[in-house]
Amino acid sequence: MKKKKKHHHSLPPRTAAPLPAPDAATIAKNAFITNVSHEIRTPMNAIMGFAQMLKNTEMDAKQADYVEVILDSGKKLLLLIGNLLDLSNLQMGKTDLHPVDCDPNALVDRIWRHYRPLIAGKNLKPVLQIDANLPIMIVDEEKVERVLSFVISNAIKFTNNGSVTLRVHLAKSGDDHPRLDIEVEDTGCGIEADRLKYIFDAFEQADNSMTRAYPGLGLGLGISSKIVALLGGQISAISTPGEGSCFHLQIPVGLR
């Protein structure tokens, strides 16, 4: 039987230097996104507030289900608005880094405790492989967690059978610069070679037909690639259609 070919795509490593100034079209587009997002968020906060108040009143089972649908849908819409604003700020160079002392063991444990039940809930095997006793690292912990959450969520979303694996270790390159090395591997549908190079673009999915099977705007990997670039790191992907994908993150860190 002919072995399926693995396809690879990566973004070149970048330093954390400021991004080039956005052009007029980008400025106009992001101003529009920002204004519309704020206009939507204001009534959405009112809807969510009154729905929560309604939830605390006496209702029958059917009415309670209706309120849960309102709250769940509202949370998803607010998350989408937040992602659009994050993407806009990243494109405009308005996102700053906030390095802190980060315990990678605690960070991974927190993330895995959240996603492990979601993986198991799809009858997938959750696999965690992490170096023992990783040292305290100096890095923007919130942004690393955000990227990891996007990538793991994607792996769960596009995998219906098999496993989702998270690997974390500390690596050092030839110049002895330490980096947090992370892999998220799944046994999902995989990505065709001609689409793989576009997956780190905002609003892209590997195939337009996937939007029907796996709803979403394709913002997660687009935001992730920009955050990783801001951190001075690299993100890449290897994929085999029908067998799965592996996303590789390399993030420069300081050590205590």
Side-chain angles (χ1 to χ4, degrees):
M1 184 173 66
K2 186 178 179 180
K3 189 175 181 181
K4 294 184 179 179
K5 184 179 180 181
K6 285 190 175 182
H7 307 302
H8 177 274
H9 181 70
S10 65
L11 293 180
R14 306 175 191 175
T15 63
L19 297 175
D23 57 26
T26 300
I27 292 172
K29 178 185 69 176
N30 285 286
F32 173 78
I33 289 174
T34 300
N35 291 336
V36 170
S37 297
H38 283 303
E39 290 297 324
I40 295 174
R41 179 174 281 178
T42 300
M44 273 308 306
N45 285 334
I47 292 170
M48 294 292 288
F50 280 105
Q52 188 62 52
M53 291 171 62
L54 185 59
K55 182 180 179 180
N56 295 330
T57 64
E58 291 187 12
M59 297 179 291
D60 60 34
K62 183 177 286 188
Q63 290 170 327
D65 285 343
Y66 292 161
V67 172
E68 284 298 330
V69 171
I70 293 172
L71 288 170
D72 183 61
S73 299
K75 288 175 184 176
K76 289 176 179 176
L77 184 54
L78 287 173
L79 179 61
L80 172 59
I81 292 168
N83 286 341
L84 285 170
L85 287 172
D86 286 345
L87 178 63
S88 176
N89 287 333
L90 284 162
Q91 289 178 330
M92 293 295 293
K94 294 181 179 179
T95 304
D96 297 322
L97 293 177
H98 301 285
V100 297
D101 285 356
C102 169
D103 180 349
N105 302 284
L107 171 63
V108 171
D109 180 66
R110 182 170 68 247
I111 294 172
W112 199 241
R113 277 191 286 110
H114 175 76
Y115 285 104
R116 182 187 175 95
L118 300 179
I119 297 169
K122 289 188 69 175
N123 293 318
L124 303 172
K125 181 181 179 182
V127 180
L128 175 62
Q129 299 172 356
I130 179 172
D131 285 356
N133 302 315
L134 286 171
I136 298 298
M137 301 178 183
I138 304 170
V139 69
D140 191 321
E141 181 174 354
E142 186 273 333
K143 289 182 176 60
V144 173
E145 182 170 358
R146 190 85 189 280
V147 171
L148 255 181
S149 295
F150 277 132
V151 178
I152 295 173
S153 293
N154 248 35
I156 299 171
K157 179 179 179 179
F158 292 103
T159 304
N160 294 320
N161 298 286
S163 62
V164 173
T165 300
L166 173 62
R167 303 184 186 94
V168 182
H169 72 278
L170 178 65
K172 291 186 178 181
S173 57
D175 53 10
D176 210 37
H177 289 167
R179 66 181 185 274
L180 187 59
D181 204 276
I182 302 169
E183 287 185 347
V184 177
E185 185 172 6
D186 64 64
T187 56
C189 57
I191 304 165
E192 294 290 345
D194 60 341
R195 299 303 305 169
L196 191 60
K197 61 184 177 181
Y198 298 113
I199 61 171
F200 296 114
D201 295 340
F203 305 106
E204 285 289 339
Q205 285 197 353
D207 190 320
N208 288 333
S209 63
M210 284 188 173
T211 306
R212 294 187 291 272
Y214 307 95
L217 289 180
L219 285 174
L221 291 180
I223 293 173
S224 296
S225 68
K226 288 178 171 52
I227 292 176
V228 171
L230 186 67
L231 291 166
Q234 184 178 19
I235 183 169
S236 61
I238 298 174
S239 188
T240 304
E243 294 185 7
S245 304
C246 182
F247 286 81
H248 186 198
L249 308 171
Q250 295 175 298
I251 300 172
V253 296
L255 297 180
R256 284 297 182 194

